[in-house]
């Protein structure tokens, strides 16, 4: 048997498996914890969006305070819907989350414009 180990203490590192917009609860992301523990009340940056975790639901839909290693969990409290495959990064403060989110948005927009520019050059 393989002896697999991962850190369960400290900030979580997750990735989004599925994202959707719920009429009553707003943007939701189903994330799987790769390392650490995800806790309600933490500020997170998801892709180029951010939010404060207001609720975590387990696979049965029951509210829980924490999401542990390899646990799929639905995260509530995001400011906008993320994209499947986005990473979830826990940050220390709301200001840090906003700053990191803005930087990622600028980088995404710059890359998108670069791709459009390269596409126009290829057609000429």
């Amino acid at each position: 048997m393989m002896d697999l180990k991962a850190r369960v203490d400290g900030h979580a590192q997750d990735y989004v498996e599925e994202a959707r917009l719920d009429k009553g609860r707003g943007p939701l992301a189903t994330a799987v914890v790769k390392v650490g523990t995800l806790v309600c009340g933490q500020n997170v940056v998801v892709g180029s969006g951010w939010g404060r975790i207001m609720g975590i639901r387990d696979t049965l839909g029951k509210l829980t305070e924490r999401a542990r290693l390899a646990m799929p969990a639905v995260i509530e409290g995001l400011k906008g819907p993320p994209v499947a495959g986005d990473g979830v990064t826990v940050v220390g403060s709301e200001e840090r989350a906003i700053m990191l989110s803005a930087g990622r948005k600028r980088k995404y927009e710059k890359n998108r414009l670069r791709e459009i520019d390269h596409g126009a050059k290829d057609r000429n």
Side-chain angles (χ1 to χ4, degrees):
M1 294 298 248
M2 295 174 58
D3 187 28
L4 302 175
K5 296 180 182 178
R7 178 179 55 82
V8 294
D9 299 350
H11 292 310
Q13 293 177 0
D14 310 35
Y15 64 92
V16 176
E17 272 191 4
E18 174 184 89
R20 65 186 184 278
L21 192 59
D22 187 78
K23 190 173 183 178
R25 295 186 289 168
L28 303 175
T30 302
V32 175
V33 179
K34 293 190 300 186
V35 176
T37 303
L38 195 62
V39 182
C40 276
Q42 289 180 320
N43 292 295
V44 292
V45 177
V46 184
S48 61
W50 67 280
R52 175 183 290 263
I53 299 175
M54 301 309 244
I56 299 173
R57 294 185 183 271
D58 62 12
T59 54
L60 301 175
K62 189 175 86 173
L63 277 172
T64 182
E65 195 64 28
R66 301 175 182 278
R68 299 194 187 279
L69 189 65
M71 177 182 168
V74 177
I75 301 170
E76 301 174 6
L78 303 174
K79 301 294 181 194
V83 177
D86 281 348
V88 178
T89 305
V90 176
V91 294
S93 68
E94 187 174 313
E95 293 80 25
R96 178 78 176 132
I98 293 168
M99 187 174 73
L100 189 56
S101 172
R104 288 184 179 184
K105 284 178 186 174
R106 281 191 303 273
K107 183 177 178 182
Y108 172 76
E109 186 64 22
K110 186 177 179 181
N111 288 341
R112 190 178 72 81
L113 291 173
R114 185 177 296 131
E115 288 174 7
I116 290 171
D117 187 42
H118 285 297
K121 287 180 182 178
D122 291 343
R123 283 178 273 187
N124 291 334

